Amino acid sequence: MDPQAIDQTLRDFVRDSRFVQEGAVVTDLDGTAVHEFEQRIVIPDVVSHSLKRLRDHGRPVILNSLRFPLNVIRTFGREWYAISNAPLPLVSLNGGLMGRLVETREGEIAFEEIRAYPLTAAELDEVLVGIQGLVDGGIDDLVLFYYPRDWTQGELIWTPSPEKVGEIRAKYLSATRIISSPVGALRNDLHAQEICMIFLLINAEEDRLMAYQHAKRSSFVTHGGIDKLSGLEALAGQLGLDLAQAVGAGDTPMDSFLKGVGLAVHVGDLALEYKGLTATVKVRDSRELGGLFTRLAILLEGGLR
């Protein structure tokens, strides 16, 4: 999108909304505000500096990600916290768990829950019935990721195939624990705690999957009606924010929260259906997003009039 058109849209939004007084900035992480460089996930300086600039002007920054809190903390929690030097709101696990990144007395970054939407027993059983059917049908090349409400447990992975544990451990370095057991033992583990999100990944030929009408190669499961939008709405309600005055940035169809903010920013090549309540703009990558945030900060300082 032409930079001049983006500038005009930003000017119109700042002029016609209450962003200056009540607005916030909501951003997805992977593919939006961060990118991978030399096998490391990094926040471009232009993004971190511009977000800090906006935060210095009193505009809250909210992270909205599929990532689980422990992963956000371990990968770039300190860097993100430095943007605000104050508790940093986080919507994680596709809206299933919301809270703040906070600094402990020991100087570590931790997660403080504000609200959670665990799956019900019936929702867990629906997933388990599908898994049992796949395993009984001879499809054992599947991996189940599950994320407890207790954020300190991080990411747990289950497979029905003991021989694949080593391979999975080498591939998914973010996992806290890799488990291989019968489906019955998995059922007991899931029901023994509150689970906020499940991700099922199946590596099987399409013709074998066709026998299982509800089997998808990959699927995210959260409590009914919960996604990035509903999670953000719940968090905004707790924080007293009006999303119509907010700017939101995302890059995939998972970023449903874009249709709940005043100004939506689409990042990357995908054509997203979500439109902002007031306006929508498009940028190519995280660096261009940082440039947009910089222009927004300049507007707050009275520039670009």
Side-chain angles (χ1 to χ4, degrees):
M1 189 170 176
D2 179 67
Q4 290 186 342
I6 292 176
D7 283 342
Q8 185 60 55
T9 301
L10 293 178
R11 284 195 292 268
D12 292 344
F13 179 70
V14 170
R15 183 191 66 231
D16 298 335
S17 71
R18 297 193 305 279
F19 177 79
V20 174
Q21 299 80 18
E22 303 175 25
V25 177
V26 186
T27 182
D28 170 54
L29 292 177
D30 299 272
T32 300
V34 304
H35 67 272
E36 187 171 347
F37 178 72
E38 295 182 349
Q39 297 184 327
R40 179 172 174 263
I41 302 296
V42 297
I43 310 171
D45 287 344
V46 67
V47 173
S48 59
H49 293 169
S50 59
L51 285 175
K52 187 176 190 307
R53 197 168 167 181
L54 288 165
R55 184 65 181 81
D56 288 345
H57 283 288
R59 298 305 93 222
V61 174
I62 301 173
L63 307 183
N64 196 335
S65 176
L66 283 173
R67 287 178 179 256
F68 53 103
L70 189 59
N71 180 260
V72 175
I73 291 169
R74 286 175 172 172
T75 51
F76 32 65
R78 172 59 63 186
E79 192 174 356
W80 272 108
Y81 193 86
I83 289 172
S84 61
N85 198 31
L88 181 61
L90 170 64
V91 179
S92 68
L93 299 178
N94 202 30
L97 184 61
M98 292 138 286
R100 300 181 181 92
L101 298 184
V102 298
E103 188 172 28
T104 67
R105 292 180 179 179
E106 295 74 28
E108 301 295 328
I109 303 299
F111 178 74
E112 182 182 85
E113 180 187 308
I114 292 178
R115 192 162 186 176
Y117 294 100
L119 280 80
T120 65
E123 288 169 335
L124 291 173
D125 284 338
E126 184 176 351
V127 174
L128 288 162
V129 167
I131 291 174
Q132 186 70 70
L134 290 167
V135 173
D136 290 346
I139 298 179
D140 59 0
D141 194 0
L142 54 87
V143 181
L144 182 78
F145 302 74
Y146 58 106
Y147 304 88
R149 181 175 184 173
D150 175 7
W151 69 273
T152 62
Q153 292 195 55
E155 179 178 64
L156 308 179
I157 298 181
W158 173 89
T159 174
S161 306
E163 68 276 8
K164 294 186 181 297
V165 169
E167 175 187 336
I168 293 171
R169 180 175 290 113
K171 185 174 183 179
Y172 300 106
L173 301 178
S174 61
T176 303
R177 184 158 51 105
I178 313 295
I179 305 157
S180 181
S181 69
V183 177
L186 171 65
R187 177 179 291 106
N188 292 338
D189 192 27
L190 291 177
H191 281 288
Q193 54 192 322
E194 292 183 297
I195 305 297
C196 289
M197 190 179 81
I198 286 174
F199 174 56
L200 178 62
L201 186 62
I202 307 171
N203 184 22
E205 297 84 359
E206 196 66 37
D207 57 347
R208 295 183 69 198
L209 281 180
M210 288 176 63
Y212 306 92
Q213 294 183 7
H214 303 293
K216 300 179 182 178
R217 288 192 179 276
S218 63
S219 58
F220 293 92
V221 181
T222 51
H223 177 55
I226 299 302
D227 60 10
K228 283 189 168 185
L229 173 59
S230 62
L232 177 61
E233 289 172 338
L235 182 63
Q238 294 286 330
L239 301 178
L241 298 175
D242 180 0
L243 294 180
Q245 318 309 320
V247 175
D251 71 314
T252 77
M254 298 292 291
D255 294 322
S256 56
F257 69 92
L258 292 173
K259 62 184 178 183
V261 298
L263 174 61
V265 184
H266 295 177
V267 181
D269 298 329
L270 291 181
L272 304 180
E273 62 176 305
Y274 310 124
K275 306 300 181 184
L277 299 174
T278 300
T280 305
V281 297
K282 188 175 183 65
V283 297
R284 286 183 298 184
D285 52 31
S286 57
R287 289 185 175 85
E288 283 199 1
L289 176 65
L292 182 149
F293 287 153
T294 298
R295 293 195 290 273
L296 193 58
I298 292 172
L299 272 174
L300 291 183
E301 296 161 2
L304 294 180
R305 296 293 184 183

